[in-house]
Amino acid sequence: MSSLVKEDLEKKLFKPLSQNLYEFIEIEFSVQDRYYLCVSVTKTEEVKIIMVKHYRVGLDEKYEVTKKWSLNDLRMIDGKEADTDNPFFDLHFKKVYSLEAYSCASKYAFARTVNKLNHAYLKKDLQIVNFDSTYINDDSIWSSNNKDCLVLMRICFYAFNLVCLSLCPLPL
């Protein structure tokens, strides 16, 4: 479902703006409408963070940009609590925006994408706090191209180790 929404966002909103959509997450912003937080790159290689309202008119899907920021203006992403599984985070621009992602996994996906695009285009000292750095940084041992499988991979690794240890004979 999310790949269909991404295709639709690209076709109806980002391609006409001459931007490439890298990531989007659903955020809980309003009870009535759906909102997405998107990260895109313009033709001039400027990274944008855009809040998009999604609504329907008849059978047609519509998207409206409600807020737009430059990554250059982002000072910090605060994940609130690194040790708990919660979807809340703050984006610190001149003003602080408190947001709730659809899930904790999508919050991390957003932070990873912003961090990756910051390293690729801006190389500025962006603070990403109260996140588990294992799942944010590409240089970690658990990094892979499919970031959504990181937790599963780690659990399988530990389970395999436990099975191996349990099969080892104990010395008498």
Side-chain angles (χ1 to χ4, degrees), residues 157-168:
F157 176 75
Y158 288 132
F160 179 74
N161 283 340
L162 287 173
V163 169
C164 287
L165 288 173
S166 68
L167 294 175
C168 292

mmCIF file of all heavy atoms in Angstrom, residues 157-168:
data_model
loop_
_atom_site.group_PDB
_atom_site.id
_atom_site.type_symbol
_atom_site.label_atom_id
_atom_site.label_comp_id
_atom_site.label_asym_id
_atom_site.label_seq_id
_atom_site.Cartn_x
_atom_site.Cartn_y
_atom_site.Cartn_z
ATOM 1 N N PHE A 157 20.058 -13.450 14.872
ATOM 2 C CA PHE A 157 21.453 -13.626 15.245
ATOM 3 C C PHE A 157 21.567 -14.109 16.692
ATOM 4 O O PHE A 157 22.273 -15.072 16.985
ATOM 5 C CB PHE A 157 22.211 -12.306 15.045
ATOM 6 C CG PHE A 157 23.642 -12.346 15.477
ATOM 7 C CD1 PHE A 157 24.597 -12.999 14.700
ATOM 8 C CD2 PHE A 157 24.044 -11.739 16.651
ATOM 9 C CE1 PHE A 157 25.919 -13.034 15.091
ATOM 10 C CE2 PHE A 157 25.365 -11.777 17.051
ATOM 11 C CZ PHE A 157 26.311 -12.428 16.270
ATOM 12 N N TYR A 158 20.841 -13.448 17.595
ATOM 13 C CA TYR A 158 20.870 -13.850 19.005
ATOM 14 C C TYR A 158 20.257 -15.234 19.205
ATOM 15 O O TYR A 158 20.770 -16.039 19.978
ATOM 16 C CB TYR A 158 20.153 -12.824 19.877
ATOM 17 C CG TYR A 158 20.921 -11.535 20.043
ATOM 18 C CD1 TYR A 158 20.307 -10.311 19.860
ATOM 19 C CD2 TYR A 158 22.267 -11.532 20.388
ATOM 20 C CE1 TYR A 158 21.005 -9.128 20.004
ATOM 21 C CE2 TYR A 158 22.970 -10.360 20.534
ATOM 22 C CZ TYR A 158 22.341 -9.152 20.339
ATOM 23 O OH TYR A 158 23.027 -7.998 20.491
ATOM 24 N N ALA A 159 19.171 -15.533 18.512
ATOM 25 C CA ALA A 159 18.534 -16.844 18.637
ATOM 26 C C ALA A 159 19.474 -17.945 18.145
ATOM 27 O O ALA A 159 19.583 -19.001 18.769
ATOM 28 C CB ALA A 159 17.223 -16.866 17.858
ATOM 29 N N PHE A 160 20.151 -17.705 17.041
ATOM 30 C CA PHE A 160 21.103 -18.680 16.515
ATOM 31 C C PHE A 160 22.225 -18.925 17.519
ATOM 32 O O PHE A 160 22.622 -20.065 17.757
ATOM 33 C CB PHE A 160 21.674 -18.185 15.177
ATOM 34 C CG PHE A 160 22.686 -19.111 14.575
ATOM 35 C CD1 PHE A 160 22.289 -20.304 13.975
ATOM 36 C CD2 PHE A 160 24.039 -18.812 14.622
ATOM 37 C CE1 PHE A 160 23.220 -21.169 13.416
ATOM 38 C CE2 PHE A 160 24.974 -19.663 14.074
ATOM 39 C CZ PHE A 160 24.576 -20.843 13.473
ATOM 40 N N ASN A 161 22.741 -17.880 18.111
ATOM 41 C CA ASN A 161 23.786 -18.025 19.129
ATOM 42 C C ASN A 161 23.296 -18.829 20.327
ATOM 43 O O ASN A 161 24.023 -19.669 20.866
ATOM 44 C CB ASN A 161 24.292 -16.659 19.583
ATOM 45 C CG ASN A 161 25.223 -16.035 18.580
ATOM 46 O OD1 ASN A 161 25.788 -16.723 17.735
ATOM 47 N ND2 ASN A 161 25.379 -14.728 18.648
ATOM 48 N N LEU A 162 22.073 -18.592 20.772
ATOM 49 C CA LEU A 162 21.524 -19.331 21.898
ATOM 50 C C LEU A 162 21.367 -20.815 21.563
ATOM 51 O O LEU A 162 21.663 -21.684 22.394
ATOM 52 C CB LEU A 162 20.172 -18.750 22.314
ATOM 53 C CG LEU A 162 20.239 -17.407 23.032
ATOM 54 C CD1 LEU A 162 18.836 -16.861 23.241
ATOM 55 C CD2 LEU A 162 20.957 -17.534 24.367
ATOM 56 N N VAL A 163 20.910 -21.111 20.355
ATOM 57 C CA VAL A 163 20.771 -22.513 19.931
ATOM 58 C C VAL A 163 22.140 -23.186 19.899
ATOM 59 O O VAL A 163 22.306 -24.302 20.400
ATOM 60 C CB VAL A 163 20.063 -22.608 18.560
ATOM 61 C CG1 VAL A 163 20.169 -24.022 17.990
ATOM 62 C CG2 VAL A 163 18.613 -22.183 18.699
ATOM 63 N N CYS A 164 23.128 -22.526 19.336
ATOM 64 C CA CYS A 164 24.473 -23.093 19.276
ATOM 65 C C CYS A 164 25.024 -23.348 20.661
ATOM 66 O O CYS A 164 25.620 -24.401 20.934
ATOM 67 C CB CYS A 164 25.415 -22.164 18.500
ATOM 68 S SG CYS A 164 25.103 -22.158 16.737
ATOM 69 N N LEU A 165 24.847 -22.397 21.553
ATOM 70 C CA LEU A 165 25.344 -22.558 22.929
ATOM 71 C C LEU A 165 24.612 -23.671 23.658
ATOM 72 O O LEU A 165 25.214 -24.388 24.456
ATOM 73 C CB LEU A 165 25.223 -21.236 23.682
ATOM 74 C CG LEU A 165 26.200 -20.137 23.279
ATOM 75 C CD1 LEU A 165 25.867 -18.837 23.977
ATOM 76 C CD2 LEU A 165 27.631 -20.555 23.564
ATOM 77 N N SER A 166 23.327 -23.812 23.405
ATOM 78 C CA SER A 166 22.564 -24.850 24.100
ATOM 79 C C SER A 166 22.927 -26.250 23.603
ATOM 80 O O SER A 166 22.741 -27.234 24.314
ATOM 81 C CB SER A 166 21.068 -24.612 23.951
ATOM 82 O OG SER A 166 20.684 -24.808 22.615
ATOM 83 N N LEU A 167 23.464 -26.373 22.402
ATOM 84 C CA LEU A 167 23.857 -27.671 21.861
ATOM 85 C C LEU A 167 25.271 -28.084 22.252
ATOM 86 O O LEU A 167 25.644 -29.230 22.046
ATOM 87 C CB LEU A 167 23.716 -27.660 20.333
ATOM 88 C CG LEU A 167 22.303 -27.521 19.798
ATOM 89 C CD1 LEU A 167 22.330 -27.408 18.279
ATOM 90 C CD2 LEU A 167 21.428 -28.673 20.230
ATOM 91 N N CYS A 168 26.024 -27.160 22.798
ATOM 92 C CA CYS A 168 27.388 -27.474 23.217
ATOM 93 C C CYS A 168 27.334 -28.321 24.491
ATOM 94 O O CYS A 168 26.616 -27.984 25.437
ATOM 95 C CB CYS A 168 28.180 -26.191 23.504
ATOM 96 S SG CYS A 168 28.501 -25.213 22.033
#
